[in-house]
């Protein structure tokens, strides 16, 4: 009986194993000088939401290699559409070679994130995704 209990416990924990983190890319389009078509000298900012690394949390960071690409010190607003919880935080400043990032504890559910840069004239970046 003990062997069956131990085997059943092993099977139940195997089903609970966490999935690999998922990266959801999104971008902010430039609109320098009020030009809604953007400009060649102001490329789109590439951000990403990384879900699944921690339960109930999402990491907002750059979508380029090494975590770069999202504007430094941007404001991050979020809403968990499943629970109604909301919040605001800020990306880090990218000092000492560490890319801008923020870990947001949204709780489990469908979440929408809006990223607003503090400088420049750009459209806000947004993404929606499920946080496990």
């Amino acid at each position: 009986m003990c062997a069956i209990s131990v085997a059943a416990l092993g099977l139940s924990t195997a089903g609970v194993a966490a999935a690999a983190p998922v990266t959801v890319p999104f971008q902010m389009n430039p609109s320098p000088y009020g030009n809604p078509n953007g400009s060649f000298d102001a490329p789109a900012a590439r951000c990403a939401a990384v879900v699944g690394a921690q339960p109930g949390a999402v990491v907002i960071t750059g979508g380029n290699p090494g975590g770069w690409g999202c504007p430094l010190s941007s404001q991050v607003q979020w809403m968990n559409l499943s629970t109604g919880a909301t919040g605001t935080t800020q990306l880090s400043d990218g000092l000492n070679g560490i890319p801008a990032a923020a870990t947001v504890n949204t709780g489990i559910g469908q979440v929408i994130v809006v990223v607003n840069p503090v400088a420049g004239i750009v459209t806000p970046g947004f993404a929606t995704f499920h946080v496990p």
Side-chain angles (χ1 to χ4, degrees):
M1 189 64 145
C2 282
I4 293 172
S5 297
V6 170
L9 182 61
L11 290 176
S12 66
T13 57
V16 179
V22 175
T23 300
V24 179
F26 62 99
Q27 71 181 29
M28 289 176 267
N29 293 319
S31 185
Y33 311 110
N35 177 357
N37 297 318
S39 171
F40 289 115
D41 61 347
R46 307 228 183 259
C47 299
V50 180
V51 295
Q54 301 173 29
V58 59
V59 176
I60 305 299
T61 189
N64 292 338
W68 295 98
C70 208
L72 306 175
S73 303
S74 294
Q75 181 187 48
V76 178
Q77 297 172 303
W78 62 272
M79 178 179 202
N80 186 320
L81 300 173
S82 301
T83 66
T86 63
T88 303
T89 190
Q90 189 171 336
L91 292 179
S92 58
D93 53 20
L95 292 177
N96 300 317
I98 300 170
T103 300
V104 185
N105 295 309
T106 62
I108 297 170
Q110 189 68 25
V111 173
I112 185 166
V113 171
V114 178
V115 179
N116 288 307
V118 294
I121 302 172
V122 298
T123 60
F126 69 94
T128 184
F129 42 82
H130 179 77
V131 175

